Amino acid sequence: MCTEQELLDFMRETAYKPLTYKELEKHFGIEDAEEFKEFLRLLTGLEQEGKVLLTRSNRYGVPERMNLLRGRIQTHPKGFAFLIPEDKEHPDLYIHANDMKGTMNGDIVLARVSAKNENGKLEGEIVRIVKRAVTQVVGLFHNHESFGFVVPDDKRITKDIFIRAENFKGAVTGQKVVVNIVTYPEGRTAAEGEIIEILGHKDDPGVDILSIIRKHGLPESFPGDVLAEAESAPDTITEEEIVQQGRRDLRNKVIVTIDGEDAKDLDDAVNVERLPNGNLLLGVHIADVSYYVREKSKLDEEAYNRGCSVYLVDRVIPMLPHRLSNGICSLHPQVDRLTMSCEMEFEPGTMKRVRYDLFTSVIRTTERMTYTNVRKILNDEDPEVAERYSSLVDTFKLMKEMALGLRSMRMRRGAIDFDFQESKVIVDEQGKPVDIVKRERSIAEQIIEEFMLAANETVAEHFHWLKAPFVYRIHEEPTNEKLLTFMQFASNFGYAVRGKGNTVHPRALQTLLEEIRGSKEETVLSTMLLRSMKQAKYEAESLGHFGLAADYYTHFTSPIRRYPDLIVHRVMREVLENDGALPENRYDSLNARMPDIASQSSDRERTAVDAERDTEKLKKAEYMLDKIGEEFPGIISGVTSFGMFIELENTVEGLIRLSDMTDDYYHFHELHMALIGERSSKIYRIGDEVEIRVARVNMNEHTIDFELVNMKPRSAERVSFVDARGGPGAGPGRNAARKRKKLNAAGRWVGIGGGGGSGSGERSGRVGSDGGKGGGRGGAGREERNDRRKERGAGRGEAVPVELDGGFYNSVVSGGGKRKKKPRGEAESVSAPLPAEAPKPVPVDAAGGSGGARENDKAARGKRRGAGLDMWGLPRSGNYKTIDDEADGGKSYGKRKGRGDSGSRGAGKPSRPSKPLVKPDAAVPQQQQQAGGGEKKPRKRKKKKE
């Protein structure tokens, strides 16, 4: 009987051609009936997992030989997605929204490469969905009587979930619910689900955090059998256990824990001492959790599923029950605890490691120290705290010396040290945020950080050369494309990154960070460098850690809250108990499991990070709710094509939308990561300081909108087309506006306003430049407006200046001179100025101009506007000519079929004059009026009967 790996390897051979199950049976020499049944089960299972495919001719082959890719889908809120291939060497595949075939975020699919775009990126389409990742959805319920919809909280699920009336389960509009998906989306059909849990109304206390917990599938409680196993763990350690296991007794050493004030799971302790030979000895002692969590136990299965502890704003979701994490596994002071120890000896000058030892041990910590108290002893030299811990002061001073030496050694070899500010949201008993405080990274945090890094590297190196099955923490080198982009970006500030060919050593990047420290560009370059890096993850192979400039690295120091650390301890104990080697059968079984454990741990870690970020964003948005209208200083933390992100002193981040930057038209320059004003040349880039005002807080999206203080409106010097034409309530202007709306809705002309407020801008679905309402400019997006400006200015070889756009064009387009600027606040007149010898005035027409004057002074009017422009200073062409000509007093430029020279319908018949908007005596000269001040009314002529 062949194994799964043998079968897949055979199908991946170059000479392999798809075979039927009978041909495969013959090839592998399967004759026994039971073996044949088992072989068919194997084939069927591999087909269901998408690892092999069954063709139309009932032949089996692997997807990669059929030009198909197997991978995980990552969807975007806008509808498109990327396929992350399981083949790590293959680039990601872009999937258009129309080619999604009902897939949802996280699904395992098979896709086919269909094209390559102009940038060389691969595009593809979904062929088959192998495994669904989303089975439950959390969202807001809307009741429509006979049916309902749930709007998902996860914006990567782009379609609402349809709910039949019989599946409401008592839910009402406005409640957060958990939905079990019954049928998945197909084509334009939405997914259908049934409500299985009602979390409560969206405004109820605690429902917001609970929704995030359900959204990410985080378990709130432990199953009964897991708790029962945890309860069976002992409360104390006996001497018989210590002797029986042969543990090294370290209870006479001065060992301390250093953690935060609110930490309850103390899993690491340290001690240092100066040896007689002058070298420094560092001991790192980690709680031996693997002794209590046995392989394949209920506790182990639950820890594997959870992957890690999750630290939300108002609670902790632990990986292990409190009975273990806060009890027998926690290194409380003055009690015996079982540990895994790593002792390292360093030379005091170079901090070169000259010796190390790994062993099982038992310790009794001397004191439970906090970061605050250690900082007060070492930095603040607080006499009260120093007196309280007088016996440990010298120990802490030696720890400081050793930690700074280790850090200096890391920096010399090229480790990259990002020093970004972190914060913590403080909430009250009801879960309402009351404050945001920064997390300090003092010498106390650095001591523990350096000691843990040294232990992790030592353990990883030992097991790498032992060639034992292991889980490593890796950080791959950034791609050449991203690295090149960063180097070009840094060169704009006058900095050069040294490297050989297409590779850059991390030391060169750290050198750059040291050069920019304290400069104005420190934030911008540090942020861009971090974004060019790949994410660290777990792997069964030791591939090195780029950020730490370490050849070997693992996670060994937190088995209470990370499953990979627990696995590392389990392998360590088994190797130490078997005289430094694993039995052959254990080697194979562990080696087969490690890739899956590494992948699961990486996935769960990303889920935990996403959940922690979601709760932090939620509470920060809630904290800023009552700050709307207040002004704060901030720093630009990100620049995009749709605006810029601003970070406040309390680490709250908000967005200033490009549509709210109304003093100029801004262009996004990706290489410089900057917004540059088209007219003023004002530049906004990462790291600049700005003054902002809190404008809006969206609690549904957990987003905050800022606006710049003293932002001058873009429309201050521009004429509103709606105001100029009299709005939608004035004679022919109203009809013209209505016609323009019809054309806009039909897509025949986009970009020229009409109607006020919502108009065609809302129909086009784009945000207008003047506040996003679509008035005046038709609501077209900024990019389209820029394109139109370039088209209008094509005759001059350059884009039309902003001060000319949106007002009167005059003769600029037709080759005339520059438009004269008017003083700020002075309204521009719509009607033409009277010539030197003005004709007699006539009644004003409904459009706000002088109809008779226009007809009698055609030459003057043509000279003012230019041959190719209408009364609004815009080019006369296409459908637009018809509309605005009619708005211009019903006059048509040029002869058309069915019209005379006067522009009226019919063959040369005069058009009926429009009714005056003002009384005749205010417009007609006195000599035309009667003595009584009245006006002669024309007699009505009766139509003769034929």
Side-chain angles (χ1 to χ4, degrees), residues 659-697:
S659 57
D660 291 335
M661 299 174 66
T662 54
D663 64 334
D664 202 344
Y665 291 96
Y666 288 91
H667 297 273
F668 173 59
H669 289 252
E670 186 175 4
L671 181 60
H672 299 271
M673 290 298 290
L675 292 174
I676 302 179
E678 182 178 299
R679 181 185 63 208
S680 62
S681 297
K682 188 182 293 183
I683 299 176
Y684 292 101
R685 63 183 179 187
I686 301 176
D688 289 350
E689 297 180 359
V690 292
E691 288 287 329
I692 63 92
R693 183 186 300 108
V694 182
R696 295 172 291 275
V697 176

Side-chain angles (χ1 to χ4, degrees), residues 578-592:
N578 289 277
D579 299 325
L582 284 173
E584 189 174 343
N585 61 332
R586 284 295 292 160
Y587 180 89
D588 292 337
S589 62
L590 284 173
N591 206 39

Side-chain angles (χ1 to χ4, degrees), residues 568-588:
V568 165
H569 278 225
R570 187 170 290 156
V571 174
M572 284 180 66
R573 285 185 68 251
E574 199 159 345
V575 167
L576 293 172
E577 289 173 357
N578 289 277
D579 299 325
L582 284 173
E584 189 174 343
N585 61 332
R586 284 295 292 160
Y587 180 89
D588 292 337

Side-chain angles (χ1 to χ4, degrees), residues 15-66:
Y16 176 80
K17 293 183 179 179
L19 302 176
T20 64
Y21 73 92
K22 290 183 179 180
E23 292 169 334
L24 288 171
E25 172 196 0
K26 183 178 180 181
H27 172 81
F28 286 105
I30 300 174
E31 297 179 354
D32 184 70
E34 286 300 322
E35 282 189 5
F36 177 67
K37 289 180 181 178
E38 192 64 31
F39 181 70
L40 284 182
R41 290 193 196 100
L42 176 62
L43 271 178
T44 305
L46 290 175
E47 184 195 353
Q48 290 175 349
E49 294 174 11
K51 294 181 179 179
V52 300
L53 282 181
L54 183 63
T55 66
R56 294 179 181 177
S57 57
N58 293 323
R59 296 175 182 273
Y60 290 93
V62 287
E64 51 265 38
R65 295 292 305 278
M66 300 180 183

Side-chain angles (χ1 to χ4, degrees), residues 102-117:
T103 55
M104 302 175 77
N105 185 62
D107 288 351
I108 303 295
V109 302
L110 294 175
R112 178 181 290 110
V113 178
S114 58
K116 182 182 288 188
N117 62 22

Side-chain angles (χ1 to χ4, degrees), residues 575-641:
V575 167
L576 293 172
E577 289 173 357
N578 289 277
D579 299 325
L582 284 173
E584 189 174 343
N585 61 332
R586 284 295 292 160
Y587 180 89
D588 292 337
S589 62
L590 284 173
N591 206 39
R593 281 199 66 199
M594 287 305 167
D596 177 62
I597 291 172
S599 175
Q600 165 74 359
S601 300
S602 297
D603 290 344
R604 296 309 299 169
E605 180 189 46
R606 282 192 289 270
T607 300
V609 169
D610 290 343
E612 290 166 5
R613 286 177 179 169
D614 282 355
T615 55
E616 191 171 299
K617 282 178 60 180
L618 163 69
K619 290 304 176 184
K620 283 183 175 179
E622 189 178 347
Y623 178 76
M624 298 300 290
L625 264 178
D626 57 355
K627 308 290 189 299
I628 294 177
E630 296 185 20
E631 297 178 3
F632 300 93
I635 295 178
I636 299 176
S637 59
V639 180
T640 68
S641 59

